[in-house]
Amino acid sequence: MTTGPAKPATEPAATAGSAATAGRLRLAMASLNRKLRKDWPDDLTPSRLSALATVAAGEPLSVGELAKRMAVSTPTVSHIVDALDKLGLIDRLQDPNDRRVCRLTASEAGTELLEELSRRTTGRLAERIHQLPPAQRSALEAALPALEALAAAPE
C-alpha cells in the first residue's frame, strides 16, 4: 500500500540552521528588551508604549486606524487608549469632518516620556555595547544591516 511520497525525517540543513538562529535571536532580543525596560513606569506596559509611539509617529489617528496599525482589535485598543488618556499621555481631538470620531495625538507629556525613554534605553544599550569585546562590537555592527532588513521586511 502506497501512501504518497515519504516526508524527510529531518529539516534541510539550511532550514534547521535558520530555525536555530531564529530561536537564539528571539531569546536574546526578548531578554535584552526586558533589561532595557526594567525602569519604565509600572503603568506603561509594552502595548501602551507601542500605541503611544504609533500615535506620536505621524498624523492624528482614529482608534480604528490605531487598531489596524497595531494589528489588534478595536476594543483592545480602546482600553489601551483609555489608559493612556488617564495617564495624560495622549490627547483626543474631535474630527472636523465627523463629530462622532476622535483623533488621537501624543500629548506634550506623552512626547516628553517617549523622548526620555528613548534617551535612557539608547544610553543603557550603548553602555552594554561598549562593554562587549571589540570583536563582538564589530560583529554586531556588521549584523545591523541584516537586522534592519528583518525589521523592515513585510509580514
Side-chain angles (χ1 to χ4, degrees), residues 6 30 32 57 87 99 105 125 145:
L32 185 57
L87 294 169
R99 297 183 61 178
T105 62
L125 187 55

Side-chain angles (χ1 to χ4, degrees), residues 17-74:
S18 295
T21 299
R24 289 178 62 196
L25 179 59
R26 182 183 55 77
L27 291 174
M29 287 174 30
S31 177
L32 185 57
N33 195 27
R34 277 191 304 277
K35 290 175 182 174
L36 291 174
R37 39 174 231 252
K38 72 179 182 176
D39 66 344
W40 282 7
D42 290 338
D43 47 11
L44 188 63
T45 64
S47 58
R48 289 176 185 175
L49 179 63
S50 177
L52 178 59
T54 302
V55 167
E59 76 281 352
L61 299 174
S62 69
V63 172
E65 290 166 344
L66 179 58
K68 285 179 189 173
R69 291 190 187 183
M70 292 183 66
V72 297
S73 71
T74 301

